[in-house]
Amino acid sequence: MNVKSGVNNIELLNCLMLMLSMLIACVLPFETFLFSYAVLGPLHYLTELHWLNKKDFFLPTRKYIFLFIALSVFIALSVFIIVFILLNSFNIFTSYRAGISGLLLFLFFLFCVYLLYISKSVLLKIFLILLIGFTLFLFYVKVGVFVLLGLFLPTILHVYLFTGLFMLMGYFKSPNIVSLISLILLFVVPFAIYFLPFENFILQSTMGGEKVYTATSFKYINESFVFLLGTDKESEKIFFLKAQIFIAFAYTYHYLNWFSKTSIIGWTKTLSLKKMILVLGIWILSIALYLYNYQTGLTVLFLLSMMHVLAEFPLNALSIKTVFQKLTNK
C-alpha cells in the first residue's frame, strides 16, 4: 500500500467516524457525551499532552517553554478554584467572578499569539498589547461576554471550531476529496441540527444519562445555547435537546478524529513502551473514577482536561494563521 492510498483510507475512516458520531448523538445524546467524555477524553488528554510536549508546544523557541508551562498551570488552577470552589460546580451564572475564568483564558490565548509573533515587527507587538488593553476594558464594561467565553472556549470552541481548523489546515496541505467531504459535513451538521427535527430520533434511555448530565451541571452549556438563540419558553426544551445533540457530536468526533489520524499526526511514535504503560494506567484509573462517581471523576480530571486545552493554544493560533494565509494566498 503506497502512502497516498494509506492517507485516503484514513480520511475515509475519519469521514465514517464523523457520520457515526452524528448518528449516535441523535439517538443517545446524553449517554454518548458522557461516555465519550469519561472514556475517550482522558486518553486524548494524556496522549496529546505528551505529543505537544515532544513538539515543544509549537512555540517558536524553547526558551519560552518554562514560562508557558508555568502560566498554563497557574491558569488551570485558577479556573479550577473559580469553577469548583467559588461557583459551586459550573454554575457560571451565579457570580461576577465567573467572567474571570473567561478573561484569563482569552488573555492566555493572546499571550500565545504574542509568543508566535514575538520576533516580528514592533507594530504587530504594539497591536497585540493594545488588544490586551481593550480586552481588559471590555471585561469591565461587558463581563457577560467573558462569562460565555469562559464556558465555550475550553469546550465547544475547542472540540468543534479548532477541530475544523485542523482539518482545513490538513486539507490545504494535502487536498483530498474525502477530506473535503468531511469538512463540508462538519460545518453543515450544526445547521442540520438546528433546522431539522433530529430531536425526534432521541431514544428514551433507562440508564439515567440525562440525570447524570444534569447532576454534573454540564447543562449550563445547553442553556447558554438556548439563551444565545433567544428562543421562547415553549421552544426551550427542544433547543436544549438540539444543543445536546450537537455537544455529543462535537465531543465524540473530536476524540475519534484524534485517534483515527495517529499515523498522520504521528503521536504514537513519540510514546515509548514505559510511557505507554503509564498512560494506560492513568487512563484506567480515570475511568474507574468516573464509574465510581461521575462528578468525582470530572472534578479530579478537570486540571488534566484544562491543561490539555491550554497546551494546545499555540497550535490553535498557528492553525488560524496558516488557514488565513492559505485563504488570502499570502
Side-chain angles (χ1 to χ4, degrees):
M1 181 185 295
N2 58 40
V3 175
K4 185 176 180 181
S5 178
V7 171
N8 289 340
N9 289 337
I10 292 171
E11 292 297 344
L12 179 59
L13 174 63
N14 185 59
C15 186
L16 291 174
M17 285 184 170
L18 188 151
M19 292 185 285
L20 176 64
S21 299
M22 182 60 189
L23 177 62
I24 60 176
C26 287
V27 178
L28 293 170
F30 296 100
E31 291 78 4
T32 298
F33 169 79
L34 292 172
F35 174 84
S36 297
Y37 194 85
V39 177
L40 302 179
L43 187 58
H44 170 64
Y45 311 151
L46 292 165
T47 52
E48 185 176 25
L49 279 170
H50 184 270
W51 176 71
L52 289 170
N53 180 51
K54 289 293 184 180
K55 295 288 186 178
D56 293 334
F57 300 99
F58 289 88
L59 295 172
T61 174
R62 286 186 61 85
K63 69 179 181 179
Y64 300 118
I65 287 181
F66 178 78
L67 176 61
F68 174 78
I69 294 175
L71 285 175
S72 297
V73 172
F74 170 76
I75 292 173
L77 286 171
S78 299
V79 175
F80 176 85
I81 292 170
I82 291 170
V83 170
F84 288 99
I85 298 177
L86 299 181
L87 299 182
N88 190 24
S89 181
F90 284 117
N91 192 350
I92 66 163
F93 295 107
T94 60
S95 173
Y96 180 87
R97 300 182 189 129
I100 297 175
S101 61
L103 177 66
L104 289 173
L105 290 169
F106 189 67
L107 287 177
F108 185 68
F109 182 78
L110 291 180
F111 170 73
C112 292
V113 174
Y114 181 83
L115 289 181
L116 290 177
Y117 292 98
I118 202 168
S119 62
K120 301 295 182 180
S121 69
V122 175
L123 285 177
L124 182 58
K125 288 187 279 190
I126 292 174
F127 171 75
L128 287 172
I129 292 172
L130 290 175
L131 185 57
I132 290 173
F134 175 75
T135 300
L136 293 172
F137 171 75
L138 184 61
F139 174 76
Y140 177 75
V141 299
K142 203 71 174 177
V143 68
V145 171
F146 293 92
V147 173
L148 292 173
L149 192 61
L151 180 66
F152 286 129
L153 184 55
T155 55
I156 295 303
L157 291 178
H158 173 76
V159 300
Y160 178 73
L161 182 61
F162 289 137
T163 297
L165 283 172
F166 296 149
M167 292 171 64
L168 188 56
M169 187 168 61
Y171 173 75
F172 284 141
K173 183 179 179 181
S174 180
N176 180 289
I177 186 62
V178 181
S179 60
L180 179 60
I181 292 173
S182 296
L183 268 169
I184 293 171
L185 287 175
L186 182 71
F187 290 109
V188 163
V189 162
F191 297 98
I193 294 172
Y194 181 83
F195 289 108
L196 300 177
F198 284 145
E199 67 278 5
N200 293 336
F201 295 102
I202 297 177
L203 296 179
Q204 186 67 36
S205 174
T206 58
M207 297 181 288
E210 185 172 359
K211 183 178 180 181
V212 174
Y213 183 87
T214 303
T216 58
S217 298
F218 272 117
K219 67 175 182 178
Y220 291 105
I221 301 177
N222 304 61
E223 292 180 356
S224 296
F225 274 120
V226 173
F227 169 75
L228 291 173
L229 291 172
T231 58
D232 54 59
K233 287 291 183 181
E234 294 182 0
S235 302
E236 281 185 3
K237 178 62 176 178
I238 293 175
F239 282 98
F240 185 93
L241 293 174
K242 284 179 177 289
Q244 184 56 36
I245 292 172
F246 173 66
I247 292 167
F249 160 76
Y251 269 88
T252 303
Y253 178 64
H254 173 71
Y255 298 140
L256 292 179
N257 177 265
W258 170 257
F259 294 120
S260 69
K261 294 189 174 181
T262 54
S263 60
I264 295 177
I265 300 172
W267 59 264
T268 52
K269 298 175 183 178
T270 65
L271 283 169
S272 64
L273 179 60
K274 288 184 178 179
K275 289 181 179 178
M276 178 67 79
I277 293 173
L278 178 63
V279 165
L280 291 176
I282 297 173
W283 179 49
I284 292 170
L285 286 175
S286 69
I287 294 175
L289 272 175
Y290 276 108
L291 288 174
Y292 169 72
N293 182 274
Y294 206 94
Q295 180 64 38
T296 301
L298 176 66
T299 305
V300 172
L301 291 167
F302 179 85
L303 285 177
L304 183 64
S305 172
M306 185 57 64
M307 281 298 299
H308 112 277
V309 171
L310 296 171
E312 200 181 285
F313 274 6
L315 178 57
N316 297 151
L318 186 62
S319 300
I320 293 172
K321 173 188 173 184
T322 303
V323 169
F324 178 78
Q325 288 176 334
K326 289 292 184 179
L327 290 175
T328 56
N329 294 318
K330 292 183 179 180

